[in-house]
Coordinates of all heavy atoms in Angstrom, one line a residue:
V1 N -79.1 135.7 229.0 CA -80.2 136.2 229.9 C -81.0 135.0 230.5 O -81.3 135.0 231.7 CB -81.2 137.1 229.1 CG1 -82.4 137.5 229.9 CG2 -80.4 138.3 228.6
E2 N -81.2 134.1 229.7 CA -82.0 132.9 230.1 C -81.2 132.1 231.2 O -81.8 131.6 232.2 CB -82.4 132.0 229.0 CG -83.4 132.6 228.0 CD -83.6 131.8 226.7 OE1 -82.9 130.7 226.6 OE2 -84.4 132.2 225.9
V3 N -79.9 131.9 231.0 CA -79.1 131.2 232.0 C -79.1 132.0 233.2 O -79.1 131.4 234.4 CB -77.6 131.1 231.4 CG1 -76.7 130.7 232.5 CG2 -77.6 130.0 230.4
R4 N -79.0 133.3 233.2 CA -79.0 134.1 234.4 C -80.3 133.9 235.2 O -80.3 133.9 236.4 CB -78.8 135.6 234.0 CG -77.4 136.0 233.8 CD -76.5 135.8 235.1 NE -75.3 136.4 235.0 CZ -74.3 136.3 235.9 NH1 -74.5 135.5 236.9 NH2 -73.1 136.9 235.7
E5 N -81.4 133.9 234.5 CA -82.7 133.7 235.1 C -82.7 132.3 235.8 O -83.3 132.2 236.9 CB -83.8 133.8 234.1 CG -84.0 135.3 233.6 CD -85.0 135.4 232.4 OE1 -85.4 134.3 231.9 OE2 -85.4 136.5 232.1
R6 N -82.2 131.3 235.2 CA -82.1 130.0 235.8 C -81.3 130.0 237.0 O -81.5 129.4 238.1 CB -81.7 129.0 234.8 CG -82.7 128.8 233.7 CD -82.1 127.9 232.6 NE -81.8 126.6 233.0 CZ -81.3 125.6 232.3 NH1 -81.0 125.9 231.0 NH2 -81.0 124.4 232.8
M7 N -80.1 130.8 237.0 CA -79.2 130.9 238.1 C -79.9 131.6 239.3 O -79.8 131.2 240.4 CB -77.9 131.6 237.7 CG -77.1 130.9 236.8 SD -75.7 131.9 236.1 CE -74.8 132.2 237.6
E8 N -80.7 132.6 239.0 CA -81.4 133.3 240.0 C -82.5 132.4 240.7 O -82.7 132.5 241.9 CB -82.2 134.5 239.4 CG -81.3 135.7 238.9 CD -82.1 136.8 238.3 OE1 -83.1 137.2 238.8 OE2 -81.7 137.2 237.2
A9 N -83.1 131.5 239.9 CA -84.1 130.6 240.4 C -83.5 129.6 241.4 O -84.2 129.3 242.4 CB -84.8 129.9 239.2
V10 N -82.4 129.1 241.1 CA -81.8 128.1 242.0 C -80.9 128.6 243.0 O -80.5 127.9 244.0 CB -81.1 127.0 241.1 CG1 -82.0 126.4 240.1 CG2 -79.9 127.6 240.4
G11 N -80.4 129.9 242.9 CA -79.5 130.5 243.8 C -78.0 130.3 243.3 O -77.6 129.2 242.9
L12 N -77.3 131.4 243.4 CA -75.9 131.4 242.9 C -75.0 130.3 243.6 O -74.2 129.7 243.0 CB -75.3 132.7 243.1 CG -73.9 132.9 242.4 CD1 -73.9 132.7 241.0 CD2 -73.3 134.3 242.8
P13 N -75.2 130.1 244.9 CA -74.3 129.1 245.6 C -74.5 127.7 245.0 O -73.7 126.8 245.2 CB -74.8 129.1 247.1 CG -75.3 130.5 247.2 CD -76.0 130.8 245.9
N14 N -75.7 127.4 244.3 CA -76.0 126.1 243.8 C -75.6 126.1 242.3 O -76.0 125.1 241.6 CB -77.4 125.8 243.9 CG -77.9 125.8 245.3 OD1 -77.2 125.2 246.3 ND2 -79.0 126.5 245.7
C15 N -74.8 127.0 241.8 CA -74.4 127.0 240.4 C -72.9 126.9 240.3 O -72.1 127.4 241.2 CB -74.8 128.3 239.7 SG -76.6 128.5 239.8
A16 N -72.4 126.3 239.2 CA -71.0 126.1 239.0 C -70.7 125.9 237.5 O -71.5 125.4 236.8 CB -70.4 124.9 239.9
V17 N -69.5 126.3 237.2 CA -68.9 126.0 235.8 C -68.2 124.7 235.9 O -67.1 124.7 236.6 CB -68.1 127.1 235.3 CG1 -67.4 126.8 234.0 CG2 -68.9 128.5 235.2
T18 N -68.6 123.7 235.3 CA -68.0 122.4 235.4 C -66.9 122.1 234.3 O -66.0 121.3 234.4 CB -69.0 121.3 235.3 OG1 -69.8 121.4 234.1 CG2 -70.0 121.4 236.5
A19 N -67.0 122.9 233.2 CA -66.0 122.8 232.1 C -65.9 124.1 231.4 O -67.0 124.7 231.2 CB -66.3 121.6 231.2
F20 N -64.7 124.5 231.0 CA -64.5 125.8 230.3 C -63.6 125.5 229.1 O -62.5 125.0 229.2 CB -63.9 126.7 231.2 CG -63.5 128.1 230.6 CD1 -64.5 128.9 230.0 CD2 -62.2 128.6 230.5 CE1 -64.2 130.1 229.4 CE2 -61.9 129.8 229.9 CZ -62.9 130.6 229.4
H21 N -64.2 125.7 227.9 CA -63.5 125.5 226.6 C -63.3 126.9 226.0 O -64.2 127.7 225.9 CB -64.3 124.7 225.7 CG -64.7 123.3 226.3 ND1 -63.9 122.2 226.4 CD2 -65.9 123.0 226.9 CE1 -64.5 121.2 226.9 NE2 -65.7 121.6 227.3
S22 N -62.1 127.1 225.6 CA -61.8 128.5 225.1 C -60.9 128.5 223.9 O -60.0 127.7 223.7 CB -61.0 129.2 226.3 OG -60.5 130.5 225.9
R23 N -61.1 129.5 223.0 CA -60.2 129.7 221.9 C -58.9 130.4 222.3 O -58.0 130.6 221.6 CB -60.9 130.5 220.8 CG -61.9 129.7 220.0 CD -62.3 130.5 218.7 NE -61.1 130.8 217.8 CZ -61.2 131.4 216.7 NH1 -62.3 131.9 216.3 NH2 -60.1 131.6 216.0
V24 N -58.9 130.8 223.6 CA -57.7 131.5 224.2 C -57.3 130.7 225.4 O -57.7 131.0 226.5 CB -58.1 133.0 224.5 CG1 -56.8 133.7 225.1 CG2 -58.8 133.7 223.4
P25 N -56.5 129.7 225.1 CA -56.1 128.8 226.3 C -55.2 129.5 227.4 O -55.1 128.9 228.5 CB -55.3 127.7 225.6 CG -54.7 128.3 224.3 CD -55.8 129.3 223.9
Q26 N -54.8 130.6 227.1 CA -54.0 131.4 228.1 C -54.9 131.9 229.2 O -54.4 132.3 230.3 CB -53.2 132.5 227.5 CG -52.1 132.1 226.5 CD -52.6 131.6 225.2 OE1 -53.8 131.9 224.8 NE2 -51.8 131.0 224.4
L27 N -56.2 131.9 229.0 CA -57.0 132.5 230.1 C -57.3 131.3 231.0 O -57.9 130.3 230.6 CB -58.4 133.0 229.5 CG -58.2 134.2 228.5 CD1 -59.6 134.5 227.9 CD2 -57.6 135.4 229.2
P28 N -57.1 131.5 232.4 CA -57.2 130.3 233.3 C -58.7 130.0 233.4 O -59.6 130.9 233.4 CB -56.7 131.0 234.6 CG -55.8 132.1 234.2 CD -56.4 132.6 233.0
A29 N -59.0 128.7 233.5 CA -60.3 128.2 233.7 C -60.9 128.7 234.9 O -62.2 128.9 235.1 CB -60.4 126.7 233.6
A30 N -60.1 129.0 235.9 CA -60.6 129.5 237.2 C -61.2 130.8 237.1 O -62.0 131.2 238.1 CB -59.4 129.6 238.2
W31 N -61.0 131.5 236.1 CA -61.7 132.8 235.9 C -63.1 132.7 235.4 O -63.9 133.6 235.4 CB -60.9 133.7 234.9 CG -59.6 134.2 235.4 CD1 -59.0 134.0 236.7 CD2 -58.6 135.0 234.7 NE1 -57.8 134.6 236.8 CE2 -57.5 135.2 235.6 CE3 -58.5 135.5 233.5 CZ2 -56.4 135.9 235.2 CZ3 -57.4 136.2 233.1 CH2 -56.4 136.4 234.0
A32 N -63.4 131.5 234.9 CA -64.8 131.3 234.4 C -65.7 130.8 235.5 O -65.8 129.6 235.8 CB -64.7 130.2 233.3
T33 N -66.3 131.7 236.2 CA -67.2 131.4 237.3 C -68.6 131.9 237.0 O -68.8 132.8 236.2 CB -66.7 132.0 238.6 OG1 -66.7 133.5 238.5 CG2 -65.2 131.6 238.9
P34 N -69.6 131.5 237.7 CA -71.0 131.9 237.4 C -71.1 133.5 237.7 O -71.9 134.1 237.0 CB -71.8 131.2 238.5 CG -71.1 129.9 238.7 CD -69.6 130.3 238.7
E35 N -70.3 134.0 238.6 CA -70.3 135.4 238.9 C -69.8 136.3 237.7 O -70.1 137.5 237.6 CB -69.6 135.8 240.2 CG -70.1 135.1 241.4 CD -69.5 133.7 241.7 OE1 -68.8 133.2 240.7 OE2 -69.6 133.2 242.7
R36 N -68.9 135.7 236.9 CA -68.2 136.5 235.9 C -68.7 136.2 234.5 O -68.0 136.5 233.5 CB -66.7 136.2 236.0 CG -66.1 136.4 237.3 CD -66.4 137.8 238.0 NE -66.2 138.9 237.1 CZ -64.9 139.5 237.1 NH1 -63.9 139.0 237.7 NH2 -64.8 140.5 236.3
L37 N -69.8 135.6 234.3 CA -70.4 135.3 233.0 C -70.5 136.6 232.2 O -70.2 136.6 231.0 CB -71.7 134.6 233.1 CG -71.7 133.2 233.6 CD1 -73.1 132.6 233.5 CD2 -70.7 132.3 232.9
D38 N -70.9 137.7 232.8 CA -71.1 139.0 232.0 C -69.7 139.4 231.5 O -69.7 139.9 230.3 CB -71.7 140.0 233.0 CG -72.9 139.5 233.7 OD1 -73.6 138.7 233.1 OD2 -73.1 140.0 234.9
T39 N -68.7 139.4 232.3 CA -67.4 139.9 231.8 C -66.8 139.0 230.8 O -66.3 139.5 229.8 CB -66.4 140.0 233.1 OG1 -67.0 140.7 234.1 CG2 -65.1 140.6 232.7
L40 N -67.0 137.7 230.9 CA -66.6 136.8 229.9 C -67.3 137.1 228.6 O -66.7 137.0 227.5 CB -66.9 135.3 230.3 CG -65.8 134.7 231.2 CD1 -66.3 133.3 231.6 CD2 -64.5 134.5 230.4
N41 N -68.6 137.4 228.7 CA -69.4 137.6 227.5 C -68.8 138.9 226.8 O -68.7 138.9 225.6 CB -70.9 137.8 227.8 CG -71.7 137.7 226.6 OD1 -71.6 136.8 225.8 ND2 -72.6 138.7 226.4

């Protein structure tokens, strides 16, 4: 929730996922985007 609020404050176009670490390496890092944080969660 706090990350989402910070994203709202700066605007989604100014947000990016710079690194994605996963216990499931078969999931592409490209799927980890600011827009999909909810689904990832």
Side-chain angles (χ1 to χ4, degrees):
V1 175
E2 293 173 358
V3 167
R4 278 298 192 191
E5 290 173 348
R6 294 171 64 181
M7 292 172 62
E8 292 176 46
V10 302
L12 187 62
N14 300 315
C15 301
V17 176
T18 57
F20 177 58
H21 308 277
S22 171
R23 282 193 63 181
V24 186
Q26 293 76 17
L27 299 177
W31 290 358
T33 64
E35 299 89 344
R36 306 310 307 276
L37 293 186
D38 310 330
T39 307
L40 275 174
N41 196 49

